[in-house]
């Protein structure tokens, strides 16, 4: 009797498998198409596919690019995803609350900066023992949010431009930076990477952390980052891998179990694997030189750099000099 | 030298300028300066900008721990560019080193552990200590009045040369000051004043809870701004009070009598005997001098202070020899003479006044608050029975300076709570452990009851004869090991 049930169950589940499988392949196909189509999709803002998610208290770095706030729905050519913008705009005030929804970013920040510091110091031959090693470097922080990366970069001596598509974020960032003469020199603009390209801005280093997974068209986005980088300049991107472990950690763990992030912060299917990121960066004439993973130690409550790029990772690339 | 003495005129400009920065963003700098000459204006403006930016760190309290912290900052490549203010009304801070080697030793001394010595070497201050009177000791003997047990440790037990060094507090203080003054690159300003009030976050800013800066008002009318306030202002910390940080603890109904005494021979051992009313310690301070730290009830302490010099010396010799109970048996089977019990050298002369201090245990519930961090006695005061107090403070100074260097490396806002919390996580459990152990000792000796006495004696025997434990205890007490009993 029991074995009969089991057999039926197996049969049923077998029947289900192809479906599931096709479902998987479908998403990955979508992704592939998205990644590798060089045809510029005019206005990839896909409002239709993802209805404005209900009250979205959200987290994690802001979506980049895009029009000034989501109030302006003029179909602009942008790699931006408008529903993502909406998420972040609703929690902009909490950017600098280190115990608030952006807490994971605050905790992770020193580790990300350690990687940025070491790679940029090596690439630009700056003294790693200096307190302001980035003196003389022009850096853009694409998707700067409330400025939690821009401010440390400015303290490390860089001439920083912070851009974000969410107007509220820029307001918060400006307000926060005012209190210190060093950070008040940061140039914050509510704009997109694409617009900066149009304005023909160039930077020694282009940094965009925890942004690409919120972007509608990563390939286009990377192209813009590439165009913003001077020849022999540096590009740094961090994001979450599309692996089973990242699903367990970043979505089930961080959003549902630990509740570090509001549910729905991340769409697993829009994550990129390191290989995909290397490929699309290559197409943007950036060759990835170094990658590192971030691993969380639940005992110390801190993040550390590691070789394990299975979940959170950061890539450092240099712009080819043609 | 000239730099360190606060330029009053400049500091007045300072507060003037910064207040304006806080309230408006208009750059109307030098409104009261001769405005006709543009060049003069520019020069004036530059001068103001240089001197009037908010300080990165304001250290309240220029005592041993506060100065050690400032020295540590000045010694590391990442932190030496920080702009630091030191607030202390102690006039010694403005002076050059004026300690003569043939002055009689001051009774206020500290037992500096090897860990603290290497910290002093790292920050470049130990060379100045060596120019003054100091006494390394390589032996240590602890016993109690019942004569049931003793333990005797030597530096060779842990394969080192020394167990510690006894140095007068004023020598430590002036060495740190010399070290700081020699480092002319380091931007420091001494405010010879006292802290009266502190405001964290500017009221003009809407998100002031998380924003920016601490304002300190001083008793001489000056005020200054700093991104981080370090409270190194001792057991009665004003910073702790103003930051609203609560403490727990209790007063021991014990006072410590301290003084300097002279022997006929030089002493190279640290001696401590537990007496019914509390421990008496005899610490070498160099040149045939020793320091006495004698814990007793307040009543006995005032008697001790009042009695004649001869009577007092008699009492000391009595307490260190046959008084209160017999000598312990030294059954030194398997141990060389180094480990057998000895009688401490006789005290022949009183070389300083007798000072009396009340003892208490106090521990701050938090070490950090927004833009505020406590180090040294401001965070914890412990029983002096093992001479650990100031060493815990040096440990704090060392840990905090390293965490600040790590913060500078990644461009962190130095007053950021998440950065400061790392310091708290590193120091608080370790300091609590030490405070608890010392409190336990104090409690274990506050009863005189047969079985308890035997238990204590057994503990002594175990501590004396079990080698790994011996090594462990020494490593912990000398600060080489952060936690006790980890083999």
């Amino acid at each position: 009797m029991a074995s009969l049930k089991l057999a039926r169950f197996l049969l049923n589940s077998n029947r289900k498998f192809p479906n599931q499988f096709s479902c998987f392949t479908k998403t990955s196909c979508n992704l592939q198409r998205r990644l590798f189509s060089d045809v510029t999709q005019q206005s990839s803002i896909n409002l239709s596919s993802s209805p404005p998610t209900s009250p979205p208290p959200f987290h994690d770095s802001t979506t980049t690019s895009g029009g000034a706030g989501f109030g302006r729905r003029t179909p602009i050519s942008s790699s931006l995803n408008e529903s993502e913008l909406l998420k972040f705009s609703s929690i902009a005030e909490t950017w600098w609350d280190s115990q608030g929804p952006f807490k994971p970013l605050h905790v992770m920040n020193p580790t990300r900066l350690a990687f940025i510091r070491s790679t940029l110091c090596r690439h630009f031959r700056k003294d790693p023992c200096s307190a302001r090693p980035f003196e003389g470097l022009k850096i853009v922080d694409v998707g700067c949010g409330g400025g939690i990366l821009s401010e440390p970069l400015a303290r490390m001596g860089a001439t920083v431009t912070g851009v974000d598509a969410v107007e509220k974020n820029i307001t918060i960032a400006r307000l926060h930076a005012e209190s210190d003469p060093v950070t008040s020199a940061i140039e914050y603009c509510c704009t997109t990477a694409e617009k900066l390209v149009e304005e023909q801005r160039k930077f020694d280093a282009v940094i965009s952390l925890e942004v690409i997974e919120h972007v509608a068209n990563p390939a286009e986005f990377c192209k813009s980052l590439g165009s913003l980088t001077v020849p022999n300049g540096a590009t740094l991107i961090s994001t979450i891998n599309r692996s089973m472990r990242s699903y367990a950690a970043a979505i089930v763990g961080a959003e549902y179990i630990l509740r570090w992030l509001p549910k729905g912060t991340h769409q697993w299917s829009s994550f990129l694997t390191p290989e995909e990121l290397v490929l699309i960066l290559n197409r943007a004439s950036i060759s990835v030189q170094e990658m590192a993973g971030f691993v969380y130690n639940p005992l110390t409550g801190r993040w550390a750099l590691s070789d394990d790029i299975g979940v959170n990772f950061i890539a450092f690339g240099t712009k080819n000099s043609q | 030298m000239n730099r360190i003495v606060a330029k009053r005129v400049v500091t007045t400009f300072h507060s003037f300028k910064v207040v304006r920065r806080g309230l408006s963003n208009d750059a109307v700098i030098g409104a009261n300066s001769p405005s006709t000459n543009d060049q003069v204006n520019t020069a004036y403006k530059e001068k103001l900008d240089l001197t009037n930016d908010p300080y990165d760190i304001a250290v309240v309290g220029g005592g041993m721990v506060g100065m050690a912290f400032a020295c540590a900052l000045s010694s590391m490549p990442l932190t030496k560019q920080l702009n630091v203010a030191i607030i202390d009304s102690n006039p010694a801070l403005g002076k050059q080193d004026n300690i003569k080697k043939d002055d009689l030793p001051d009774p206020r001394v500290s037992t500096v552990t090897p860990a603290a010595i290497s910290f002093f070497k790292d920050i470049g201050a130990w060379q100045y200590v060596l120019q003054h009177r100091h006494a390394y000791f390589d032996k240590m003997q602890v016993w109690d009045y019942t004569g049931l047990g003793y333990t005797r440790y030597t530096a060779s037990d842990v394969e080192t040369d020394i167990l510690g060094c006894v140095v007068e507090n004023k020598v430590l203080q002036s060495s740190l000051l010399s070290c700081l003054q020699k480092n002319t690159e380091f931007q420091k300003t001494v405010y010879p004043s006292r802290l009266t009030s502190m405001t964290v976050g500017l009221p003009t800013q809407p998100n002031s809870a998380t924003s920016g800066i601490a304002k300190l008002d001083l008793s001489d009318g000056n005020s200054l701004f700093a991104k981080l306030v370090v409270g190194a202002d001792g057991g009665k910390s004003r910073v702790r009070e103003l930051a609203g940080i609560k403490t727990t603890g209790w007063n021991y109904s014990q006072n410590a009598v301290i003084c300097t005494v002279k022997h006929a021979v030089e002493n190279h051992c640290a001696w401590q005997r537990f007496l019914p009313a509390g421990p008496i310690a005899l610490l070498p301070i160099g040149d045939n001098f020793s320091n006495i730290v004698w814990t007793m009830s307040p009543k006995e302490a005032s008697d001790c202070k009042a009695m004649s010099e001869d009577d007092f010396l008699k009492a000391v010799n009595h307490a260190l020899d046959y008084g209160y109970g017999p000598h312990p048996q030294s059954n030194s089977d398997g141990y060389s003479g180094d480990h057998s019990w000895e009688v401490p050298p006789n005290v022949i002369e009183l070389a300083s006044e007798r000072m009396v201090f009340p003892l208490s245990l106090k521990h701050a519930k938090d070490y950090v608050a927004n833009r505020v961090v406590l180090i040294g006695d401001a965070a914890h005061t412990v029983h002096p029975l093992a001479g650990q107090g100031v060493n815990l403070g040096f440990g704090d100074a060392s840990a905090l300076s390293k965490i600040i260097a790590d913060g500078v490396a990644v461009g962190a806002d130095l007053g950021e709570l998440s950065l400061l919390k790392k310091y708290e996580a590193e120091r608080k459990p370790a300091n609590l452990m030490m405070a608890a152990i010392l409190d336990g000792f104090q409690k274990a000796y506050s009863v005189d009851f047969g079985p308890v006495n035997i238990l204590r004696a057994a503990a002594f025997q175990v501590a004396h004869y079990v080698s790994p434990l011996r090594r462990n205890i020494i490593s912990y007490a000398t600060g080489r090991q952060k936690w006790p009993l980890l083999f």
Side-chain angles (χ1 to χ4, degrees), chain B residues 118-177:
Chain B
S118 50
F119 169 57
F120 266 64
K121 285 181 178 162
D122 288 347
I123 64 181
W126 193 247
Q127 47 171 321
Y128 300 104
V129 174
L130 295 181
Q131 290 166 11
H132 296 97
R133 185 183 356 244
H134 62 279
Y136 286 110
F137 60 93
D138 57 1
K139 290 193 276 295
M140 185 161 110
Q141 175 176 302
V142 185
W143 72 109
D144 75 1
Y145 67 94
T146 61
L148 292 172
Y150 76 96
T151 124
R152 196 177 159 90
Y153 293 149
T154 63
S156 55
D157 287 339
V158 283
E159 283 131 22
T160 54
D161 297 329
I162 54 150
L163 290 176
C165 186
V166 184
V167 189
E168 290 157 74
N169 290 355
K170 65 176 186 189
V171 168
L172 289 173
Q173 173 94 30
S174 81
S175 303
L176 291 164
L177 183 62

Side-chain angles (χ1 to χ4, degrees), chain A residues 110 113 117 130-131 152 155-156 180, chain B residues 78 81 227 409-413:
Chain A
L113 281 154
R117 181 187 175 87
S130 159
R155 284 194 204 95
M156 287 155 89
D180 185 336
Chain B
L78 282 168
Q81 42 69 42
K227 292 176 200 162
V410 294
D413 172 1

